[in-house]
Amino acid sequence: MEHYGGKVDILYGISYGCRILMEVLADPRLTVTTTIADGMGLKDYPNIRSKWGKDVYCFFYTGLFYAVMGHPGPRRKRFLARVSGRTAEEADRILYGKATWRSWKNQDYFFLGRKTDFTLFEKTDAHLWYGIRGSVDQKLSQNLRALEQEGLVGKGEQLGSTGGRKAQTFVFKSRFKAAIGVSMRSNSLNLCAIDLHGGVIARHHTALPYRNTDAYYQKIGGIINDFAEKIERGGTDVLGVAFAIQGIVSADGTTISFGSIMGNTGVKLGTIAQNVHYPSIMIHDSDASAMAELWLDHALSDAVCVYLEMRPGGAVIIDGQLYQGPNLRNGVIEHMTLVPGGNKCYCGQYGCMDTYCSPETLLEDGESLSGFFSVLRQGEHDHRKRFDHWLANVAQAVSNIRALLAGDIIIGGEAARYLDSDDMDRLKSLIDEKSAFHDTRFTLRKSLCVEDQNIIGAALRFVQSYVTDVCNTEA
Protein backbone atom coordinates (compact mmCIF):
# COMPACT_ATOMS: atom_id res chain seq x y z
CA MET A 1 0.00 0.00 0.00
CA GLU A 2 2.77 2.40 0.91
CA HIS A 3 4.77 2.14 -2.33
CA TYR A 4 2.35 0.90 -5.02
CA GLY A 5 -1.08 2.09 -3.92
CA GLY A 6 -2.33 -1.44 -3.34
CA LYS A 7 -1.84 -2.50 -6.99
CA VAL A 8 -0.39 -5.98 -7.50
CA ASP A 9 0.37 -7.29 -11.01
CA ILE A 10 0.96 -10.96 -10.14
CA LEU A 11 0.21 -12.68 -6.84
CA TYR A 12 1.81 -16.13 -6.66
CA GLY A 13 1.37 -18.78 -3.99
CA ILE A 14 2.54 -22.38 -3.87
CA SER A 15 1.33 -25.18 -1.65
CA TYR A 16 0.61 -23.79 1.83
CA GLY A 17 1.52 -20.35 0.57
CA CYS A 18 -1.79 -20.40 -1.33
CA ARG A 19 -3.57 -20.15 2.01
CA ILE A 20 -1.75 -16.92 2.75
CA LEU A 21 -2.51 -15.84 -0.81
CA MET A 22 -6.23 -16.10 0.00
CA GLU A 23 -5.76 -13.86 3.02
CA VAL A 24 -4.07 -11.28 0.80
CA LEU A 25 -6.89 -11.47 -1.74
CA ALA A 26 -9.39 -10.80 1.05
CA ASP A 27 -7.81 -7.40 1.78
CA PRO A 28 -10.24 -4.86 0.24
CA ARG A 29 -7.44 -2.30 -0.17
CA LEU A 30 -5.65 -4.41 -2.78
CA THR A 31 -6.21 -4.70 -6.53
CA VAL A 32 -4.70 -7.89 -7.99
CA THR A 33 -4.46 -8.43 -11.75
CA THR A 34 -3.34 -12.07 -11.98
CA THR A 35 -3.35 -14.74 -9.27
CA ILE A 36 -1.44 -18.01 -9.51
CA ALA A 37 -2.50 -20.62 -6.96
CA ASP A 38 -0.03 -23.44 -7.47
CA GLY A 39 -0.67 -26.79 -5.80
CA MET A 40 -3.48 -25.43 -3.64
CA GLY A 41 -5.62 -28.07 -2.04
CA LEU A 42 -9.38 -27.74 -2.44
CA LYS A 43 -10.13 -29.32 0.93
CA ASP A 44 -10.28 -27.03 3.95
CA TYR A 45 -8.74 -27.85 7.31
CA PRO A 46 -11.10 -29.62 9.75
CA ASN A 47 -13.68 -27.35 11.37
CA ILE A 48 -12.07 -27.52 14.80
CA ARG A 49 -12.58 -24.37 16.85
CA SER A 50 -11.79 -25.35 20.46
CA LYS A 51 -8.29 -24.84 21.79
CA TRP A 52 -8.21 -28.43 23.12
CA GLY A 53 -9.21 -29.85 19.73
CA LYS A 54 -6.61 -27.78 17.89
CA ASP A 55 -3.89 -28.88 20.31
CA VAL A 56 -4.74 -32.56 19.75
CA TYR A 57 -4.80 -32.11 15.95
CA CYS A 58 -1.45 -30.34 15.91
CA PHE A 59 0.18 -32.86 18.23
CA PHE A 60 -0.75 -35.89 16.11
CA TYR A 61 -1.42 -34.74 12.54
CA THR A 62 0.94 -31.79 12.27
CA GLY A 63 3.52 -33.70 14.30
CA LEU A 64 3.42 -36.59 11.81
CA PHE A 65 4.08 -34.30 8.83
CA TYR A 66 6.80 -32.46 10.67
CA ALA A 67 8.49 -35.78 11.50
CA VAL A 68 8.49 -36.71 7.80
CA MET A 69 9.26 -33.35 6.20
CA GLY A 70 10.85 -31.22 8.89
CA HIS A 71 14.64 -30.80 8.51
CA PRO A 72 14.95 -33.74 6.08
CA GLY A 73 18.32 -35.29 5.35
CA PRO A 74 19.52 -36.29 1.84
CA ARG A 75 17.65 -39.61 1.82
CA ARG A 76 14.33 -38.12 2.89
CA LYS A 77 14.78 -35.27 0.39
CA ARG A 78 15.16 -37.78 -2.43
CA PHE A 79 12.07 -39.66 -1.23
CA LEU A 80 9.98 -36.49 -0.95
CA ALA A 81 11.15 -35.33 -4.38
CA ARG A 82 10.13 -38.66 -5.90
CA VAL A 83 6.63 -38.71 -4.36
CA SER A 84 6.01 -35.05 -5.34
CA GLY A 85 7.21 -35.55 -8.93
CA ARG A 86 10.04 -33.04 -8.69
CA THR A 87 13.76 -33.02 -9.06
CA ALA A 88 15.77 -32.92 -5.85
CA GLU A 89 16.63 -29.28 -6.49
CA GLU A 90 13.00 -28.29 -7.05
CA ALA A 91 11.82 -30.20 -4.00
CA ASP A 92 14.47 -28.56 -1.83
CA ARG A 93 13.15 -25.15 -2.88
CA ILE A 94 9.54 -25.80 -1.85
CA LEU A 95 9.87 -28.10 1.18
CA TYR A 96 9.66 -26.53 4.60
CA GLY A 97 12.96 -28.08 5.49
CA LYS A 98 14.20 -25.23 7.65
CA ALA A 99 10.88 -24.32 9.27
CA THR A 100 10.71 -24.82 13.03
CA TRP A 101 8.14 -26.92 14.86
CA ARG A 102 6.57 -23.69 16.14
CA SER A 103 6.11 -22.43 12.57
CA TRP A 104 4.42 -25.67 11.51
CA LYS A 105 2.15 -25.66 14.54
CA ASN A 106 1.20 -21.98 14.26
CA GLN A 107 0.38 -22.39 10.57
CA ASP A 108 -2.01 -25.31 11.10
CA TYR A 109 -3.43 -23.77 14.28
CA PHE A 110 -4.36 -20.64 12.31
CA PHE A 111 -6.11 -22.47 9.48
CA LEU A 112 -8.10 -24.93 11.60
CA GLY A 113 -11.77 -23.95 11.55
CA ARG A 114 -11.36 -21.47 8.68
CA LYS A 115 -13.38 -21.85 5.49
CA THR A 116 -11.76 -20.88 2.17
CA ASP A 117 -13.73 -18.32 0.19
CA PHE A 118 -12.96 -19.27 -3.42
CA THR A 119 -15.10 -16.41 -4.72
CA LEU A 120 -12.14 -14.15 -3.87
CA PHE A 121 -10.59 -15.23 -7.16
CA GLU A 122 -13.32 -13.22 -8.89
CA LYS A 123 -11.50 -10.06 -7.74
CA THR A 124 -8.71 -10.78 -10.23
CA ASP A 125 -8.72 -10.38 -14.00
CA ALA A 126 -7.20 -13.85 -14.39
CA HIS A 127 -6.20 -16.70 -12.11
CA LEU A 128 -4.26 -19.87 -12.84
CA TRP A 129 -4.73 -23.06 -10.87
CA TYR A 130 -2.21 -25.87 -10.96
CA GLY A 131 -2.10 -29.31 -9.38
CA ILE A 132 1.01 -30.18 -7.41
CA ARG A 133 2.36 -32.48 -10.14
CA GLY A 134 1.66 -30.02 -12.97
CA SER A 135 3.16 -27.27 -10.94
CA VAL A 136 3.90 -23.85 -12.36
CA ASP A 137 6.87 -23.90 -10.00
CA GLN A 138 8.42 -26.66 -12.09
CA LYS A 139 7.63 -24.77 -15.28
CA LEU A 140 9.08 -21.56 -13.92
CA SER A 141 12.23 -23.39 -12.88
CA GLN A 142 12.64 -24.91 -16.34
CA ASN A 143 12.04 -21.59 -18.08
CA LEU A 144 14.38 -19.70 -15.79
CA ARG A 145 17.14 -22.24 -16.36
CA ALA A 146 16.61 -21.95 -20.12
CA LEU A 147 16.69 -18.15 -19.98
CA GLU A 148 19.80 -18.25 -17.79
CA GLN A 149 21.56 -20.54 -20.24
CA GLU A 150 20.60 -18.24 -23.09
CA GLY A 151 21.89 -15.23 -21.17
CA LEU A 152 18.62 -13.30 -21.02
CA VAL A 153 18.29 -13.43 -17.22
CA GLY A 154 20.71 -13.88 -14.35
CA LYS A 155 20.57 -14.35 -10.60
CA GLY A 156 20.25 -11.18 -8.58
CA GLU A 157 20.54 -10.65 -4.85
CA GLN A 158 18.94 -12.95 -2.30
CA LEU A 159 16.25 -11.29 -0.26
CA GLY A 160 16.37 -11.51 3.50
CA SER A 161 14.47 -14.28 5.23
CA THR A 162 11.17 -13.50 6.95
CA GLY A 163 11.09 -16.87 8.67
CA GLY A 164 11.37 -19.24 5.73
CA ARG A 165 13.81 -19.72 2.88
CA LYS A 166 15.54 -16.71 1.40
CA ALA A 167 13.97 -15.68 -1.89
CA GLN A 168 16.25 -15.67 -4.94
CA THR A 169 15.68 -12.75 -7.27
CA PHE A 170 16.37 -12.82 -11.00
CA VAL A 171 17.33 -9.84 -13.11
CA PHE A 172 16.46 -9.21 -16.74
CA LYS A 173 19.61 -8.55 -18.78
CA SER A 174 18.20 -5.88 -21.04
CA ARG A 175 21.50 -5.41 -22.89
CA PHE A 176 21.66 -9.05 -23.92
CA LYS A 177 20.24 -7.90 -27.27
CA ALA A 178 19.97 -4.56 -29.04
CA ALA A 179 18.33 -3.11 -32.13
CA ILE A 180 19.37 -0.17 -34.28
CA GLY A 181 17.12 2.50 -35.73
CA VAL A 182 18.25 4.66 -38.65
CA SER A 183 16.91 7.92 -40.07
CA MET A 184 18.15 9.30 -43.37
CA ARG A 185 17.53 13.04 -43.67
CA SER A 186 18.38 15.52 -46.40
CA ASN A 187 21.59 16.60 -44.64
CA SER A 188 22.22 14.03 -41.93
CA LEU A 189 22.32 10.36 -40.96
CA ASN A 190 21.05 9.53 -37.48
CA LEU A 191 21.43 6.22 -35.63
CA CYS A 192 20.17 4.97 -32.25
CA ALA A 193 20.78 1.63 -30.57
CA ILE A 194 18.27 0.50 -27.95
CA ASP A 195 18.24 -2.37 -25.47
CA LEU A 196 15.38 -4.76 -24.71
CA HIS A 197 13.80 -2.20 -22.39
CA GLY A 198 13.73 0.31 -25.23
CA GLY A 199 16.37 2.44 -23.55
CA VAL A 200 18.97 4.16 -25.73
CA ILE A 201 22.44 2.69 -25.25
CA ALA A 202 24.25 4.53 -28.07
CA ARG A 203 23.70 7.29 -30.63
CA HIS A 204 25.52 8.42 -33.75
CA HIS A 205 24.74 11.55 -35.75
CA THR A 206 26.75 12.61 -38.77
CA ALA A 207 26.38 15.33 -41.38
CA LEU A 208 25.83 13.46 -44.63
CA PRO A 209 23.73 14.84 -47.51
CA TYR A 210 21.20 12.31 -48.80
CA ARG A 211 21.75 10.99 -52.31
CA ASN A 212 19.68 8.29 -53.97
CA THR A 213 22.78 6.51 -55.26
CA ASP A 214 24.55 3.22 -54.62
CA ALA A 215 27.58 5.15 -53.39
CA TYR A 216 25.47 6.77 -50.67
CA TYR A 217 23.90 3.46 -49.60
CA GLN A 218 27.31 1.79 -49.56
CA LYS A 219 28.63 4.57 -47.34
CA ILE A 220 25.77 4.48 -44.82
CA GLY A 221 26.01 0.68 -44.72
CA GLY A 222 29.62 1.00 -43.60
CA ILE A 223 28.68 3.54 -40.92
CA ILE A 224 25.86 1.32 -39.65
CA ASN A 225 28.09 -1.79 -39.58
CA ASP A 226 30.81 0.05 -37.64
CA PHE A 227 28.20 1.31 -35.17
CA ALA A 228 26.74 -2.18 -34.71
CA GLU A 229 30.11 -3.87 -34.37
CA LYS A 230 31.10 -1.44 -31.63
CA ILE A 231 27.96 -2.41 -29.72
CA GLU A 232 28.64 -6.12 -30.20
CA ARG A 233 32.19 -5.73 -28.91
CA GLY A 234 30.57 -4.64 -25.65
CA GLY A 235 28.85 -8.03 -25.40
CA THR A 236 25.46 -7.12 -26.90
CA ASP A 237 24.11 -8.95 -29.94
CA VAL A 238 22.40 -6.77 -32.56
CA LEU A 239 19.01 -8.07 -33.68
CA GLY A 240 18.72 -5.92 -36.77
CA VAL A 241 18.51 -2.48 -38.37
CA ALA A 242 15.23 -0.60 -38.90
CA PHE A 243 15.02 2.39 -41.24
CA ALA A 244 12.50 5.13 -40.32
CA ILE A 245 11.43 6.32 -43.77
CA GLN A 246 10.05 9.75 -44.69
CA GLY A 247 7.59 8.15 -47.04
CA ILE A 248 5.09 5.33 -47.48
CA VAL A 249 6.37 1.76 -47.43
CA SER A 250 4.73 -0.91 -49.59
CA ALA A 251 2.49 -3.53 -47.98
CA ASP A 252 5.21 -6.18 -48.22
CA GLY A 253 7.76 -3.86 -46.63
CA THR A 254 10.23 -4.10 -49.52
CA THR A 255 9.74 -0.82 -51.40
CA ILE A 256 9.24 2.90 -50.77
CA SER A 257 5.95 3.28 -52.63
CA PHE A 258 5.72 7.06 -52.09
CA GLY A 259 8.89 9.01 -51.36
CA SER A 260 8.40 12.49 -52.79
CA ILE A 261 10.03 14.21 -49.81
CA MET A 262 13.39 12.51 -50.34
CA GLY A 263 12.95 11.77 -54.02
CA ASN A 264 13.24 8.00 -53.57
CA THR A 265 9.90 6.60 -54.72
CA GLY A 266 10.38 3.02 -55.88
CA VAL A 267 13.65 2.43 -54.03
CA LYS A 268 13.81 -1.04 -52.52
CA LEU A 269 14.99 -2.11 -49.09
CA GLY A 270 17.63 -4.28 -50.75
CA THR A 271 19.12 -1.16 -52.32
CA ILE A 272 19.11 0.89 -49.11
CA ALA A 273 20.55 -1.96 -47.02
CA GLN A 274 22.86 -3.34 -49.72
CA ASN A 275 25.91 -2.99 -47.50
CA VAL A 276 24.28 -3.61 -44.11
CA HIS A 277 25.38 -6.89 -42.52
CA TYR A 278 22.26 -7.30 -40.34
CA PRO A 279 18.58 -8.08 -40.95
CA SER A 280 16.87 -4.89 -42.09
CA ILE A 281 13.34 -3.51 -42.32
CA MET A 282 11.63 -0.21 -43.21
CA ILE A 283 8.80 1.61 -41.43
CA HIS A 284 7.08 4.94 -42.06
CA ASP A 285 8.57 7.45 -39.60
CA SER A 286 5.17 8.49 -38.15
CA ASP A 287 4.29 4.86 -37.49
CA ALA A 288 7.69 4.45 -35.86
CA SER A 289 7.01 7.41 -33.54
CA ALA A 290 3.68 5.83 -32.59
CA MET A 291 5.49 2.57 -31.80
CA ALA A 292 7.54 4.46 -29.22
CA GLU A 293 4.33 5.96 -27.76
CA LEU A 294 2.89 2.47 -27.31
CA TRP A 295 6.07 1.01 -25.84
CA LEU A 296 6.51 3.77 -23.26
CA ASP A 297 2.82 4.19 -22.34
CA HIS A 298 1.20 0.83 -21.65
CA ALA A 299 -2.15 2.48 -20.86
CA LEU A 300 -2.50 3.79 -24.41
CA SER A 301 -5.47 2.15 -26.13
CA ASP A 302 -7.23 4.11 -28.91
CA ALA A 303 -5.78 7.30 -30.38
CA VAL A 304 -4.73 9.15 -33.49
CA CYS A 305 -1.21 10.55 -33.35
CA VAL A 306 -0.67 13.88 -35.10
CA TYR A 307 3.04 14.60 -35.59
CA LEU A 308 3.66 18.26 -36.37
CA GLU A 309 7.08 17.90 -37.92
CA MET A 310 8.28 20.15 -40.75
CA ARG A 311 6.66 17.45 -42.86
CA PRO A 312 3.66 16.43 -40.72
CA GLY A 313 2.37 12.90 -40.44
CA GLY A 314 0.07 10.70 -38.43
CA ALA A 315 -0.57 7.21 -37.11
CA VAL A 316 -3.58 5.26 -35.84
CA ILE A 317 -3.61 3.21 -32.63
CA ILE A 318 -6.49 0.80 -31.98
CA ASP A 319 -6.78 -1.58 -29.00
CA GLY A 320 -3.24 -0.79 -27.95
CA GLN A 321 -1.80 -1.74 -31.34
CA LEU A 322 -0.43 0.26 -34.25
CA TYR A 323 -3.06 -0.09 -36.98
CA GLN A 324 -1.41 0.49 -40.36
CA GLY A 325 -4.05 -1.07 -42.58
CA PRO A 326 -3.54 -3.47 -45.51
CA ASN A 327 -1.55 -0.92 -47.54
CA LEU A 328 0.35 0.55 -44.55
CA ARG A 329 -1.26 3.93 -45.26
CA ASN A 330 -3.52 4.48 -42.27
CA GLY A 331 -2.90 7.80 -40.59
CA VAL A 332 -1.50 9.61 -43.65
CA ILE A 333 -3.31 12.73 -42.46
CA GLU A 334 -0.79 15.11 -44.04
CA HIS A 335 -2.48 14.64 -47.42
CA MET A 336 -6.03 15.14 -46.15
CA THR A 337 -7.56 18.10 -48.02
CA LEU A 338 -7.93 20.93 -45.54
CA VAL A 339 -8.60 23.82 -47.97
CA PRO A 340 -10.00 22.74 -51.36
CA GLY A 341 -7.98 24.33 -54.16
CA GLY A 342 -5.53 25.74 -51.63
CA ASN A 343 -1.75 25.71 -51.43
CA LYS A 344 0.11 23.24 -53.62
CA CYS A 345 1.58 20.27 -51.74
CA TYR A 346 4.73 18.33 -52.57
CA CYS A 347 2.45 15.38 -53.39
CA GLY A 348 1.10 17.32 -56.38
CA GLN A 349 -2.35 18.01 -54.91
CA TYR A 350 -3.74 21.29 -53.57
CA GLY A 351 -4.90 22.25 -50.08
CA CYS A 352 -3.30 19.36 -48.16
CA MET A 353 -3.04 19.54 -44.38
CA ASP A 354 0.77 19.56 -44.72
CA THR A 355 0.78 22.99 -46.37
CA TYR A 356 -1.25 24.56 -43.53
CA CYS A 357 -0.17 22.68 -40.40
CA SER A 358 3.56 22.34 -41.00
CA PRO A 359 5.46 24.48 -38.48
CA GLU A 360 7.26 25.90 -41.53
CA THR A 361 4.22 28.15 -41.99
CA LEU A 362 5.08 29.86 -38.69
CA LEU A 363 8.52 30.96 -39.82
CA GLU A 364 9.72 33.97 -41.76
CA ASP A 365 13.12 35.31 -42.79
CA GLY A 366 15.15 32.25 -41.78
CA GLU A 367 13.66 31.97 -38.29
CA SER A 368 14.22 28.79 -36.33
CA LEU A 369 11.28 27.17 -34.57
CA SER A 370 12.84 27.77 -31.17
CA GLY A 371 13.42 31.40 -32.13
CA PHE A 372 9.79 31.80 -33.21
CA PHE A 373 8.41 30.49 -29.92
CA SER A 374 10.89 32.56 -27.92
CA VAL A 375 9.56 35.74 -29.53
CA LEU A 376 5.97 34.49 -29.27
CA ARG A 377 6.29 34.07 -25.49
CA GLN A 378 7.43 37.70 -25.27
CA GLY A 379 4.04 38.75 -26.66
CA GLU A 380 5.07 40.02 -30.10
CA HIS A 381 1.84 40.77 -32.04
CA ASP A 382 2.79 39.42 -35.49
CA HIS A 383 4.07 36.16 -34.05
CA ARG A 384 0.87 35.76 -32.04
CA LYS A 385 -1.22 36.34 -35.17
CA ARG A 386 0.73 33.73 -37.14
CA PHE A 387 0.52 31.26 -34.26
CA ASP A 388 -3.26 31.69 -33.83
CA HIS A 389 -3.81 31.14 -37.56
CA TRP A 390 -1.64 28.01 -37.51
CA LEU A 391 -3.32 26.65 -34.37
CA ALA A 392 -6.74 27.14 -35.96
CA ASN A 393 -5.60 25.08 -38.96
CA VAL A 394 -4.32 22.32 -36.68
CA ALA A 395 -7.67 22.37 -34.82
CA GLN A 396 -9.56 22.03 -38.11
CA ALA A 397 -7.39 19.07 -39.12
CA VAL A 398 -7.96 17.35 -35.76
CA SER A 399 -11.70 18.04 -35.96
CA ASN A 400 -11.78 16.40 -39.39
CA ILE A 401 -9.86 13.41 -38.07
CA ARG A 402 -12.24 12.99 -35.14
CA ALA A 403 -15.25 13.06 -37.45
CA LEU A 404 -13.98 9.70 -38.71
CA LEU A 405 -12.14 8.32 -35.67
CA ALA A 406 -13.61 9.80 -32.50
CA GLY A 407 -10.81 8.73 -30.19
CA ASP A 408 -8.13 10.50 -28.22
CA ILE A 409 -5.58 12.73 -29.94
CA ILE A 410 -1.84 12.81 -29.32
CA ILE A 411 0.00 15.88 -30.59
CA GLY A 412 3.68 15.25 -31.29
CA GLY A 413 6.51 16.27 -33.54
CA GLU A 414 8.97 19.13 -33.41
CA ALA A 415 6.32 21.83 -32.91
CA ALA A 416 4.72 19.98 -29.97
CA ARG A 417 7.87 20.39 -27.91
CA TYR A 418 7.19 24.12 -27.73
CA LEU A 419 3.46 23.96 -26.92
CA ASP A 420 2.62 24.71 -23.29
CA SER A 421 -0.49 23.76 -21.31
CA ASP A 422 -2.28 26.98 -22.28
CA ASP A 423 -1.66 26.23 -25.97
CA MET A 424 -3.05 22.71 -25.56
CA ASP A 425 -6.14 24.02 -23.72
CA ARG A 426 -6.70 26.56 -26.48
CA LEU A 427 -6.29 23.87 -29.15
CA LYS A 428 -8.89 21.65 -27.47
CA SER A 429 -11.29 24.58 -27.23
CA LEU A 430 -10.85 25.30 -30.94
CA ILE A 431 -11.42 21.63 -31.80
CA ASP A 432 -14.68 21.73 -29.85
CA GLU A 433 -15.79 24.89 -31.65
CA LYS A 434 -15.23 23.23 -35.02
CA SER A 435 -16.96 19.99 -34.06
CA ALA A 436 -20.60 19.35 -35.00
CA PHE A 437 -21.12 17.41 -31.78
CA HIS A 438 -19.20 19.59 -29.31
CA ASP A 439 -17.79 16.49 -27.64
CA THR A 440 -15.11 17.44 -25.13
CA ARG A 441 -15.00 13.95 -23.62
CA PHE A 442 -11.75 12.98 -25.22
CA THR A 443 -8.14 13.31 -24.23
CA LEU A 444 -5.89 15.71 -26.07
CA ARG A 445 -2.33 15.45 -24.90
CA LYS A 446 1.20 15.99 -26.00
CA SER A 447 3.30 13.15 -27.28
CA LEU A 448 6.16 11.89 -25.18
CA CYS A 449 8.37 13.99 -27.48
CA VAL A 450 11.49 12.00 -26.64
CA GLU A 451 14.67 12.69 -28.56
CA ASP A 452 14.95 10.59 -31.74
CA GLN A 453 11.48 9.16 -31.07
CA ASN A 454 10.92 7.89 -34.61
CA ILE A 455 14.34 6.20 -34.70
CA ILE A 456 13.73 4.53 -31.34
CA GLY A 457 10.28 3.43 -32.50
CA ALA A 458 11.71 1.89 -35.66
CA ALA A 459 14.23 -0.14 -33.66
CA LEU A 460 11.45 -1.27 -31.33
CA ARG A 461 10.07 -3.33 -34.21
CA PHE A 462 12.95 -5.78 -33.72
CA VAL A 463 12.75 -5.64 -29.93
CA GLN A 464 9.01 -6.27 -29.91
CA SER A 465 9.37 -9.24 -32.25
CA TYR A 466 12.18 -10.74 -30.17
CA VAL A 467 10.38 -10.30 -26.85
CA THR A 468 7.20 -11.77 -28.31
CA ASP A 469 9.13 -14.81 -29.56
CA VAL A 470 10.73 -15.34 -26.15
CA CYS A 471 7.40 -15.06 -24.33
CA ASN A 472 5.67 -17.46 -26.73
CA THR A 473 8.42 -20.10 -26.67
CA GLU A 474 7.80 -23.19 -24.60
CA ALA A 475 10.87 -24.15 -22.56
Side-chain angles (χ1 to χ4, degrees):
M1 288 298 299
E2 180 180 349
H3 298 291
Y4 302 105
K7 295 181 179 179
V8 180
D9 289 331
I10 299 177
L11 183 62
Y12 172 58
I14 183 169
S15 189
Y16 276 100
C18 295
R19 301 290 176 177
I20 307 301
L21 175 145
M22 300 302 291
E23 298 297 315
V24 175
L25 277 179
D27 192 325
R29 300 172 301 169
L30 300 180
T31 301
V32 182
T33 301
T34 300
T35 303
I36 301 176
D38 182 19
M40 180 177 181
L42 298 178
K43 188 175 180 181
D44 283 323
Y45 276 68
N47 189 24
I48 300 173
R49 298 182 179 274
S50 68
K51 182 179 183 305
W52 178 85
K54 289 183 177 183
D55 286 339
V56 171
Y57 178 93
C58 289
F59 180 80
F60 288 102
Y61 195 79
T62 307
L64 173 63
F65 273 84
Y66 180 72
V68 175
M69 300 176 64
H71 298 278
R75 185 174 298 176
R76 266 195 297 159
K77 283 184 180 180
R78 288 194 296 271
F79 168 75
L80 292 169
R82 187 161 55 251
V83 297
S84 64
R86 287 176 162 82
T87 67
E89 180 186 7
E90 290 166 347
D92 190 50
R93 286 178 50 231
I94 68 162
L95 293 174
Y96 308 121
K98 297 181 180 178
T100 63
W101 162 245
R102 177 175 292 183
S103 296
W104 278 71
K105 180 181 177 182
N106 287 345
Q107 171 187 269
D108 287 3
Y109 209 90
F110 177 80
F111 286 117
L112 284 168
R114 298 177 71 90
K115 183 173 177 60
T116 303
D117 181 7
F118 291 101
T119 65
L120 290 171
F121 284 112
E122 296 175 4
K123 292 180 59 177
T124 68
D125 292 339
H127 67 269
L128 308 176
W129 200 299
Y130 293 84
I132 197 70
R133 287 185 178 274
S135 170
V136 70
D137 177 70
Q138 297 181 58
K139 193 67 174 176
L140 286 172
S141 296
Q142 293 169 6
N143 288 344
L144 280 172
R145 281 197 298 271
L147 292 174
E148 272 192 282
Q149 291 170 0
E150 187 178 348
L152 192 56
V153 301
K155 284 187 172 68
E157 63 176 343
Q158 272 198 329
L159 301 181
S161 173
T162 57
R165 295 175 301 279
K166 292 183 178 180
Q168 174 66 59
T169 64
F170 288 84
V171 294
F172 174 54
K173 295 184 177 181
S174 61
R175 295 201 175 187
F176 174 62
K177 301 283 186 181
I180 294 172
V182 179
S183 172
M184 302 174 292
R185 288 296 187 259
S186 57
N187 291 304
S188 65
L189 179 71
N190 307 298
L191 285 68
C192 279
I194 62 170
D195 62 18
L196 295 178
H197 277 312
V200 176
I201 59 177
R203 281 187 167 94
H204 179 83
H205 302 289
T206 185
L208 183 65
Y210 176 77
R211 299 288 185 271
N212 186 15
T213 64
D214 285 340
Y216 173 84
Y217 298 127
Q218 285 283 328
K219 185 174 181 64
I220 69 167
I223 294 172
I224 293 167
N225 292 334
D226 290 344
F227 182 69
E229 288 165 7
K230 183 177 180 181
I231 292 167
E232 291 191 320
R233 285 196 295 272
T236 301
D237 290 337
V238 173
L239 294 167
V241 176
F243 292 88
I245 301 295
Q246 272 194 305
I248 306 300
V249 178
S250 63
D252 61 5
T254 64
T255 308
I256 300 176
S257 58
F258 180 80
S260 294
I261 295 175
M262 301 293 286
N264 54 12
T265 299
V267 172
K268 295 189 176 296
L269 174 61
T271 300
I272 294 173
Q274 60 184 270
N275 194 33
V276 177
H277 299 161
Y278 300 86
S280 300
I281 60 172
M282 297 188 295
I283 180 174
H284 185 211
D285 57 354
S286 294
D287 288 340
S289 290
M291 279 291 299
E293 304 279 359
L294 283 165
W295 187 267
L296 298 172
D297 182 1
H298 296 167
L300 189 55
S301 178
D302 300 315
V304 176
C305 302
V306 179
Y307 292 111
L308 300 173
E309 305 284 2
M310 291 303 177
R311 296 277 68 81
V316 179
I317 293 170
I318 295 178
D319 290 334
Q321 300 289 327
L322 179 63
Y323 184 64
Q324 296 172 288
N327 294 317
L328 306 188
R329 292 182 183 177
N330 280 2
V332 187
I333 58 174
E334 61 268 33
H335 300 297
M336 167 181 62
T337 300
L338 199 62
V339 180
N343 300 332
K344 187 173 183 179
C345 179
Y346 65 85
C347 72
Q349 303 300 315
Y350 291 85
C352 291
M353 176 265 201
D354 177 283
T355 65
Y356 292 92
C357 298
S358 167
E360 281 182 344
T361 63
L362 294 169
L363 311 179
E364 290 183 355
D365 303 324
E367 270 185 312
S368 66
L369 200 56
S370 60
F372 171 86
F373 277 94
S374 177
V375 177
L376 175 71
R377 301 308 179 202
Q378 296 172 29
E380 200 277 324
H381 175 73
D382 182 63
H383 282 67
R384 170 54 61 181
K385 184 178 179 180
R386 276 187 269 158
F387 178 74
D388 288 346
H389 182 68
W390 175 81
L391 199 67
N393 286 332
V394 173
Q396 185 64 65
V398 172
S399 180
N400 291 354
I401 292 166
R402 295 200 73 252
L404 184 62
L405 293 170
D408 295 338
I409 299 292
I410 297 172
I411 303 294
E414 188 176 356
R417 298 175 187 172
Y418 300 98
L419 300 180
D420 60 23
S421 58
D422 290 338
D423 298 329
M424 295 298 291
D425 290 342
R426 176 60 179 153
L427 177 58
K428 188 168 186 179
S429 177
L430 287 169
I431 295 167
D432 181 48
E433 289 176 12
K434 296 175 184 297
S435 169
F437 308 107
H438 303 290
D439 177 17
T440 59
R441 291 175 298 176
F442 73 97
T443 298
L444 175 76
R445 70 165 176 84
K446 286 175 64 172
S447 161
L448 299 170
C449 293
V450 299
E451 183 182 0
D452 297 321
Q453 181 168 328
N454 63 331
I455 311 176
I456 293 169
L460 281 169
R461 278 295 205 189
F462 277 104
V463 171
Q464 183 185 54
S465 178
Y466 176 77
V467 171
T468 299
D469 287 345
V470 169
C471 293
N472 291 339
T473 298
E474 292 291 332

